[in-house]
Amino acid sequence: MNPIVSIIMGSTSDLPVLESGIKFLDEMGIPFEMNALSAHRTPELVEEFARNAQARGIKVIIAAAGMAAHLPGVIAAMTPVPVIGIPVRTAMEMDALFSIVQMPPGIPVATVGINASLNAAILAAQMLAVADDEIAKKVVDYKEGLKKKIAKANEDLKEIKYNFKTN
């Protein structure tokens, strides 16, 4: 089995943030790989990874980074493979988000919310679904499941009683 999604983290301390996205890809049956690469500490390895990703069959890259958060942009600068950036929460809260979302023209990085690895994985699946009917069906089924969860939540809310609650 060869990976089609590559999950890159600036360090393994980002792994807990990535957990929900990793589980989603696993449940969807989408082959992925995980690596720790740093735009600042291992720039040569980042370049080697980015320049070879497409030739290795990688279709989407998810890159998580905090603080200066250059990793997604550096990868995007060196590969035609779409990159989804996950800003990781840090003490300064918004620094990673601003670093990832403010890319110069010609170097796009799709950016999800802070720590939003599940949304990154869903977006990766939706990108893959454009050319893969099996993944497309799984994405549709997943979204139908979300609708059912909300319908169930509303049924459960009907059972909660308050003096002035009208529904």
Side-chain angles (χ1 to χ4, degrees):
M1 177 169 37
N2 295 317
I4 57 174
V5 174
S6 187
I7 300 170
I8 306 298
M9 59 200 87
S11 75
T12 55
S13 65
D14 297 332
L15 190 55
V17 168
L18 295 169
E19 192 77 26
S20 61
I22 291 166
K23 287 180 180 176
F24 177 85
L25 292 173
D26 202 51
E27 289 168 4
M28 288 283 156
I30 297 172
F32 63 93
E33 64 182 15
M34 301 185 324
N35 289 291
L37 296 170
S38 169
H40 302 106
R41 294 181 294 266
T42 61
E44 300 87 1
L45 293 177
V46 171
E47 181 175 6
E48 180 184 339
F49 163 78
R51 294 206 187 280
N52 295 312
Q54 185 178 35
R56 291 190 314 104
I58 300 299
K59 305 285 185 219
V60 181
I61 298 167
I62 298 172
M67 298 168 54
H70 292 133
L71 184 62
V74 168
I75 291 171
M78 293 185 273
T79 185
V81 176
V83 176
I84 302 169
I86 302 172
V88 175
R89 184 179 316 281
T90 63
M92 293 179 66
E93 291 290 324
M94 304 292 273
D95 56 340
L97 174 64
F98 292 146
S99 292
I100 297 172
V101 80
Q102 293 292 350
M103 293 301 299
I107 313 295
V109 173
T111 308
V112 295
I114 296 171
N115 288 2
S117 72
L118 178 57
N119 273 352
I122 294 167
L123 181 56
Q126 289 175 295
M127 289 174 170
L128 295 166
V130 170
D132 187 314
D133 291 340
E134 186 177 326
I135 293 174
K137 180 171 180 354
K138 290 177 182 180
V139 169
V140 168
D141 291 346
Y142 174 79
K143 291 200 171 198
E144 285 299 317
L146 294 177
K147 289 180 191 177
K148 289 177 183 174
K149 284 182 183 178
I150 294 299
K152 168 101 171 70
N154 279 313
E155 290 302 314
D156 293 346
L157 287 172
K158 287 179 183 177
E159 301 303 315
I160 297 173
K161 304 295 181 200
Y162 288 98
N163 291 331
F164 291 94
K165 182 174 175 259
T166 62
N167 65 341

